[in-house]
Amino acid sequence: MAKTKKTTSRKPNSKRRTSTKRKTKKRSIKSYIIRLGLLAIACAIVGLGLLFSSVYLGLWGKLPDYYTLRNIKNADASEIYSEDGAILGRVYAENRTNVSFKDISPNVINSLIATEDARFYEHQGVDQRSMLRVLVKSLIMGDRSSGGGSTLSQQLAKNLYNRKHYGALTMPVNKIREAITASRLEKIYSKKEILQLYLNTVSFGENVFGIESASRQFFSKPASALKTHECAVLIGMLKAPTYYNPRLHPERSKQRRNVVLNQMAKYEYISESQAKQLKALPLELKYNNQASKNGLAPYLREKIRIEANKILADYPKEDGSYYDIYRDGLKITTTLDSKLQTYAEQSVSEHLKQLQNLFYKHWGSSKPWDNKKDILTDAKHRSDRYKELKKSGKSEQEINKIFNEKVDMKIFTWSGEKNVSMSPNDSIKHYVQLLNTGFLAMEPHSGKIKAWVGGIDFNHFKYDHVTAKRQVGSVFKPVVFSAALEEGISPFEYFPNERKVYEEYDNWSPRNADNKYEGSYSMEGALAESVNTIAVDVLLQTGIRDAIVLAEEMGVDSNLPKVPSLALGTANISLFEMIQVYATLANRGVHVEPYYLVKIEDKNGNLIADLSKERGENRFVLSPQNADIINHMLQAVVNNGTGNSLRNVFKLEGDLAGKTGTTNSHADGWYIGYNSNLVAGAWVGADDMRVHFRSLTLGQGASMALPIYGKFMSKMSNNRNFSNYSYASIRKPENDILAQLNIPHYMPKDSGFFKNIFGVKAKDRDKLMERKQRKEKRKENRKSIYQRIKNIFKKKNKD
């Protein structure tokens, strides 16, 4: 019994000891885990401390010091303005316009703080609570959904100094760098200044930086004029600029906008009822792409972009450094008028679209290259794709294979840009058929360029046809007849319309477009009807050399061949040059240097360069009396000649003069028209001169180019603000000259006109002697006339 009791009494004690051991073991494990955790935390803290120290000391790369941060300078887009104050476009490294805090809507600030950094006014660059959350959840627990924890100051630091890659430590090192930089920024700048810096720096996608540029791009208004719901749209984009882009993803953007409005209500920047009303509003954009390639006058803006930094090299800053059009936010003012530029671009687009459709219809199932295979080969060899492949060492066989394979590409069409799957060979066939154009308008008295259109679409065709040299055809004839008048040839004579063979010029024989060679024309008639045989005859009587000299004085810089075909416009001359020729006529013989740059100012409006004064002096090159006669003759082109559709079709009123031009095989169509206050002209043709209409009716200048001028003038005439351009008069010749010019344009062969009026034949010796005497007298008097007019201009300039 005793044993039994003894055994029984020991069992409970054994269990208790076992339980105690287990509890002790559990406490030991728990204590070990706690100690291990504390040790890990201590190590992490020490590690972070060491990491922080190493970042602070610059072991991971130099941090921006206080001097650098104090002199932050964002790249600022330069803006190009028309004379009437409209922004034509921008030039930039980054599409940004920096603005001051006062020029930013308060609702931008409120929505930004409510959404991105609610405790912005409480911290000194780093929000410890947010940083602790990031440390615990992101770094230790690996929870990426916990948020970035960055204050606006830290985000600003990230925007100013791009993050770098440091392997596994990339995130903590960059966060520490940004925290240190943010703290330094807070010591240098006030809260307002930090907000201003941030909003001028942040990206909104589409290569748009800063709130001002974003506001103008998406809502076509300055940041100061943004409404609350518009502010919410832009601030909402900051989370993911492309994902929440209101143009690309309107529904997402609207949802994100409403999140921002809720945040504003949460932090009492707006009331709950206001938020509800604003969230119910539709997402309405007024999108205006501010990219450098968009906007008015892209061809001229590209020319200015190339020229500006060269010009600015002559105007250094006070510290000796140079202005940069891409970064310094310059304001460049041009002579263009935004309305006239718009009319010009519209006129080009409207006419070329119709003309291109007519071109396709004209050729039908045939193609311009059917019998001229070199057209496609040459176009292929001119293409950037071919040049790159050739440069990379590809053989012709390899290149041909690539050119026959379909690829995704964007192509220009008159129905809009299209995404297509097309082989490079097919794209060449598409583009080689397209007709292109150049259009230019200028004030003859001042030399101001008022409209400049270099082609049909700058994004796809960078070549500027205003400065391109093409055969000018009959638009050169006024130079020939002006030179004839200067050399003493009478404007009152008749010239026989005879086809001649010029043995001394390789038996060359000019022909007329209508192939008719009979009767005689007055000088005015020959010019109005564009009679080639008479133009050549007049040139040879005048002297080729004399005509070339006058052309150069009137603004032609191109090389002019010393051959009789010069009278027919076989020379390659640019529209920019020919506009100067006609401006000289409109200006009654005075050549004025054209210009398009007025001034360049810095971003604060301080004048850097006044370019309107840095031009050549006006020069007298043609007597006013002779200019008046030519102007009178060129009015006949509009009233009764090849330009009469301006009256009949476009119903233009007022004094107008001008000249059409058509080259061999109808490859080039020209028209230049003017009155005393505005000269404007157009060239139309394919880039390859072998691509053209096959009939004169469709391919002449009156059909290809004149309608652009007609549309432009018609649009301008409907705007009373431009009546000084639309209805300006043209000075008439003196009454006695005008009376003598009032003779028929054409006289049949057997009319007996010469015997009845002059009593002799036009080719009789006495008549030739009279002409020679007049020519000598004109030469004697010309110098004195020139000097008198020069003195008048000098006196005006002094006054």
Side-chain angles (χ1 to χ4, degrees):
M1 290 295 293
K3 285 182 180 180
T4 303
K5 285 181 182 179
K6 190 176 181 180
T7 303
T8 304
S9 63
R10 285 178 178 174
K11 283 181 180 180
N13 291 335
S14 176
K15 286 179 180 179
R16 280 196 296 271
R17 283 197 298 271
T18 302
S19 176
T20 302
K21 285 180 180 179
R22 286 175 180 170
K23 288 179 180 178
T24 303
K25 188 175 181 181
K26 285 180 180 179
R27 282 197 297 268
S28 297
I29 293 172
K30 188 176 182 179
S31 176
Y32 176 76
I33 292 172
I34 291 171
R35 286 197 298 272
L36 189 63
L38 291 172
L39 180 63
I41 292 171
C43 288
I45 293 172
V46 171
L48 285 171
L50 291 172
L51 184 62
F52 182 89
S53 300
S54 65
V55 172
Y56 186 86
L57 293 172
L59 299 181
W60 299 87
K62 185 179 178 182
L63 289 168
D65 55 25
Y66 286 97
Y67 175 82
T68 302
L69 294 173
R70 196 174 286 111
N71 292 279
I72 291 170
K73 185 180 179 183
N74 285 324
D76 210 345
S78 294
E79 295 179 330
I80 301 176
Y81 288 81
S82 64
E83 192 174 46
D84 55 318
I87 296 179
L88 299 173
R90 299 155 67 81
V91 180
Y92 51 78
E94 293 177 344
N95 183 9
R96 182 201 322 274
T97 299
N98 292 310
V99 289
S100 61
F101 186 85
K102 65 180 177 59
D103 293 322
I104 301 172
S105 168
N107 287 312
V108 171
I109 306 300
N110 295 339
S111 57
L112 176 66
I113 293 173
T115 309
E116 297 292 329
D117 190 356
R119 290 185 290 275
F120 175 72
Y121 290 109
E122 300 170 19
H123 61 68
Q124 298 302 312
V126 178
D127 187 341
Q128 286 84 359
R129 276 191 278 175
S130 296
M131 285 295 288
L132 184 62
R133 184 189 73 236
V134 172
L135 174 65
V136 175
K137 290 189 175 181
S138 296
L139 299 183
I140 297 175
M141 298 175 63
D143 181 7
R144 296 288 178 179
S145 65
S146 60
S150 294
T151 64
L152 287 175
S153 301
Q154 287 172 272
Q155 291 181 44
L156 173 60
K158 183 177 71 174
N159 293 339
L160 291 172
Y161 304 100
N162 293 333
R163 287 180 168 178
K164 299 178 181 179
H165 185 70
Y166 301 105
L169 294 174
T170 293
M171 185 177 177
V173 169
N174 279 313
K175 284 286 185 181
I176 293 170
R177 286 175 62 88
E178 289 160 13
I180 295 170
T181 303
S183 297
R184 291 178 177 178
L185 285 167
E186 292 267 355
K187 291 176 183 177
I188 296 171
Y189 297 103
S190 68
K191 290 290 186 179
K192 282 186 178 181
E193 290 171 330
I194 287 174
L195 288 169
Q196 177 181 312
L197 269 173
Y198 177 86
L199 286 167
N200 281 328
T201 305
V202 70
S203 170
F204 288 87
E206 297 192 1
N207 197 28
V208 174
F209 295 84
I211 189 66
E212 181 71 9
S213 293
S215 179
R216 292 185 182 278
Q217 178 122 329
F218 292 100
F219 295 106
S220 297
K221 62 174 66 174
S224 60
L226 286 170
K227 296 177 181 178
T228 304
H229 60 285
E230 294 170 339
C231 296
V233 170
L234 296 180
I235 296 304
M237 292 177 67
L238 300 181
K239 183 178 178 68
T242 301
Y243 189 81
Y244 292 114
N245 185 305
R247 179 180 64 87
L248 301 175
H249 310 292
E251 194 54 41
R252 283 183 205 160
S253 178
K254 185 178 179 181
Q255 292 173 2
R256 179 63 183 163
R257 178 201 70 178
N258 292 348
V259 170
V260 175
L261 292 171
N262 286 336
Q263 287 295 104
M264 293 181 74
K266 177 181 177 180
Y267 292 103
E268 299 181 349
Y269 289 109
I270 58 175
S271 66
E272 291 288 349
S273 61
Q274 282 179 300
K276 186 176 181 180
Q277 290 174 352
L278 294 173
K279 286 189 291 183
L281 293 174
L283 186 71
E284 294 182 344
L285 300 181
K286 193 174 180 182
Y287 188 79
N288 179 20
N289 196 330
Q290 299 285 303
S292 60
K293 65 182 181 180
N294 293 301
L296 289 171
Y299 289 91
L300 182 59
R301 286 191 286 109
E302 175 65 8
K303 191 174 179 64
I304 291 170
R305 182 188 70 80
I306 294 170
E307 293 177 0
N309 278 336
K310 295 178 182 178
I311 294 170
L312 291 166
D314 295 329
Y315 300 92
K317 300 178 184 177
E318 291 182 1
D319 62 3
S321 63
Y322 293 96
Y323 290 99
D324 185 348
I325 190 176
Y326 299 103
R327 308 186 66 84
D328 285 339
L330 305 177
K331 180 180 177 181
I332 302 170
T333 303
T334 71
T335 61
L336 293 192
D337 184 284
S338 63
K339 291 281 195 310
L340 295 186
Q341 181 66 32
T342 300
Y343 294 156
E345 293 183 10
Q346 289 174 347
S347 300
V348 163
S349 179
E350 291 167 8
H351 176 60
L352 264 294
K353 183 177 182 179
Q354 294 174 343
L355 190 67
Q356 190 66 54
N357 289 332
L358 185 62
F359 187 81
Y360 291 143
K361 185 177 180 180
H362 168 73
W363 276 93
S365 59
S366 301
K367 299 298 177 185
W369 56 81
D370 284 346
N371 298 316
K372 301 173 184 177
K373 300 298 182 183
D374 287 349
I375 291 176
L376 295 181
T377 303
D378 293 345
K380 175 182 175 181
H381 291 169
R382 288 195 303 267
S383 70
D384 292 336
R385 189 190 300 268
Y386 179 88
K387 292 175 182 176
E388 289 172 6
L389 291 171
K390 199 70 177 175
K391 188 176 181 180
S392 68
K394 299 284 185 184
S395 67
E396 282 296 321
Q397 186 176 359
E398 291 173 315
I399 293 174
N400 289 337
K401 183 179 179 181
I402 292 171
F403 265 72
N404 283 314
E405 294 173 350
K406 288 187 176 183
V407 294
D408 293 333
M409 64 176 72
K410 291 182 178 180
I411 63 169
F412 168 84
T413 75
W414 280 111
S415 300
E417 188 178 69
K418 289 187 177 179
N419 294 308
V420 296
S421 179
M422 180 182 283
S423 72
N425 275 335
D426 286 337
S427 73
I428 285 173
K429 292 176 182 178
H430 169 72
Y431 281 115
V432 81
Q433 297 181 81
L434 291 178
L435 301 174
N436 221 309
T437 188
F439 180 87
L440 192 65
M442 170 185 165
E443 286 183 353
H445 298 307
S446 66
K448 292 180 179 179
I449 300 294
K450 306 309 294 182
W452 182 303
V453 183
I456 55 176
D457 186 278
F458 181 73
N459 294 336
H460 289 272
F461 309 96
K462 297 293 189 290
Y463 191 56
D464 192 338
H465 293 91
V466 167
T467 55
K469 296 179 187 293
R470 294 287 291 239
Q471 281 194 356
V472 290
S474 294
V475 291
F476 190 79
K477 287 177 181 175
V479 177
V480 174
F481 286 89
S482 295
L485 295 180
E486 288 290 287
E487 293 303 315
I489 295 177
S490 172
F492 317 122
E493 294 182 21
Y494 277 81
F495 299 86
N497 177 24
E498 300 173 348
R499 187 169 187 183
K500 299 178 181 179
V501 176
Y502 296 93
E503 296 179 1
E504 64 273 36
Y505 293 102
D506 296 328
N507 291 320
W508 177 71
S509 178
R511 67 181 185 85
N512 294 325
D514 59 6
N515 280 315
K516 293 180 180 179
Y517 309 96
E518 55 187 26
S520 298
Y521 285 86
S522 67
M523 186 181 285
E524 182 178 300
L527 193 54
E529 300 299 330
S530 207
V531 183
N532 290 339
T533 54
I534 293 177
V536 173
D537 190 24
V538 169
L539 174 65
L540 292 176
Q541 289 184 45
T542 301
I544 297 175
R545 173 67 182 169
D546 291 326
I548 290 175
V549 169
L550 180 60
E552 291 171 347
E553 289 177 339
M554 295 176 83
V556 176
D557 293 324
S558 299
N559 182 49
L560 300 179
K562 299 178 179 62
V563 293
S565 62
L566 176 65
L568 310 184
T570 54
N572 292 315
I573 307 173
S574 70
L575 177 61
F576 187 75
E577 295 168 86
M578 290 308 302
I579 285 290
Q580 294 179 60
V581 169
Y582 283 76
T584 302
L585 294 171
N587 209 23
R588 302 189 69 222
V590 177
H591 177 270
V592 177
E593 289 290 334
Y595 73 105
Y596 44 81
L597 281 174
V598 177
K599 60 183 176 180
I600 302 177
E601 299 169 304
D602 66 19
K603 62 182 178 182
N604 297 316
N606 300 312
L607 183 66
I608 297 172
D610 185 350
L611 302 168
S612 64
K613 297 179 180 179
E614 299 185 7
R615 300 185 297 123
E617 290 185 4
N618 299 347
R619 60 181 188 270
F620 177 78
V621 301
L622 180 68
S623 74
Q625 294 89 343
N626 286 335
D628 291 342
I629 291 172
I630 295 295
N631 292 338
H632 178 76
M633 292 178 178
L634 291 177
Q635 284 181 272
V637 173
V638 175
N639 296 330
N640 305 302
T642 56
N644 62 2
S645 65
L646 293 175
R647 302 294 194 196
N648 302 333
V649 177
F650 295 98
K651 307 300 181 183
L652 298 181
E653 300 175 356
D655 289 355
L656 289 174
K659 186 72 185 76
T660 56
T662 309
T663 61
N664 287 338
S665 302
H666 336 301
D668 305 270
W670 292 78
Y671 183 78
I672 300 178
Y674 64 96
N675 55 34
S676 59
N677 285 345
L678 191 71
V679 179
W683 164 88
V684 174
D687 285 339
D688 191 315
M689 288 182 284
R690 294 167 293 183
V691 177
H692 50 73
F693 283 103
R694 292 171 293 183
S695 72
L696 177 62
T697 302
L698 297 175
Q700 62 183 320
S703 300
M704 290 218 295
L706 180 143
I708 297 176
Y709 176 86
K711 287 176 178 288
F712 173 75
M713 292 296 292
S714 180
K715 293 176 190 294
M716 190 172 62
S717 299
N718 291 329
N719 187 333
R720 65 181 63 184
N721 294 324
F722 296 115
S723 58
N724 62 318
Y725 291 145
S726 304
Y727 300 104
S729 61
I730 296 177
R731 178 75 172 265
K732 291 180 172 59
E734 295 174 6
N735 289 334
D736 58 333
I737 295 176
L738 190 61
Q740 293 181 71
L741 289 171
N742 188 23
I743 55 177
H745 283 181
Y746 174 75
M747 292 300 297
K749 182 178 180 181
D750 300 321
S751 65
F753 177 82
F754 301 109
K755 289 184 178 181
N756 294 333
I757 301 299
F758 296 108
V760 292
K761 291 183 179 180
K763 290 186 177 181
D764 283 353
R765 183 176 299 173
D766 291 344
K767 195 65 178 179
L768 292 173
M769 288 300 296
E770 278 183 35
R771 180 186 298 169
K772 187 174 181 181
Q773 289 171 2
R774 285 197 302 270
K775 183 174 180 179
E776 293 299 324
K777 187 176 181 181
R778 179 72 67 184
K779 285 184 176 180
E780 292 174 6
N781 293 335
R782 188 186 303 159
K783 288 186 178 179
S784 61
I785 295 172
Y786 286 179
Q787 192 59 50
R788 287 201 304 273
I789 294 180
K790 283 183 179 179
N791 291 337
I792 291 171
F793 275 100
K794 285 182 180 179
K795 186 177 180 182
K796 284 184 178 179
N797 291 333
K798 287 180 180 179
D799 293 341

